[in-house]
Amino acid sequence: KLNIYKGEMAAGMAHLEHVLEMNEGMESSRKGTNQHSIAETHLALSGSYSIMGELARGESYGESALDLFTSLNDPQGKMESHATGYK
């Protein structure tokens, strides 16, 4: 996420996409310890793609983040997901 905060959107988004690839399959494991991290990554990608004008992709990641935060019973994550404007 650091690259994104520094304004290096493309590099930051590529890094976050790589993180998701490394965690592939963890989403199906509701007991997985990385679930919160995966949800946060989806949320970061949602905002990043939206800023870059790729609204459909941003919406998809925003909805995924909301679904994950909901399954984790994380009210703050749900609120942050709703703040993206999706769902």
Side-chain angles (χ1 to χ4, degrees):
K1 288 191 218 179
L2 181 60
N3 293 59
I4 291 172
Y5 294 134
K6 291 177 7 185
E8 300 168 359
M9 298 296 284
M13 291 162 59
H15 177 75
L16 291 174
E17 293 278 2
H18 179 69
V19 167
L20 285 181
E21 288 174 17
M22 290 175 29
N23 285 304
E24 193 170 298
M26 291 296 294
E27 289 180 61
S28 62
S29 171
R30 293 297 176 214
K31 294 180 182 177
T33 58
N34 292 335
Q35 290 299 302
H36 195 267
S37 175
I38 292 170
E40 290 284 347
T41 302
H42 279 260
L43 186 60
L45 282 166
S46 173
S48 299
Y49 278 112
S50 297
I51 288 168
M52 297 296 287
E54 295 188 43
L55 301 180
R57 217 162 168 186
E59 180 177 15
S60 177
Y61 278 114
E63 290 175 353
S64 294
L66 179 58
D67 290 344
L68 287 166
F69 284 125
T70 298
S71 72
L72 293 167
N73 198 26
D74 181 338
Q76 181 175 344
K78 287 171 57 177
M79 179 203 58
E80 290 175 7
S81 296
H82 281 295
T84 64
Y86 302 118
K87 263 193 179 181

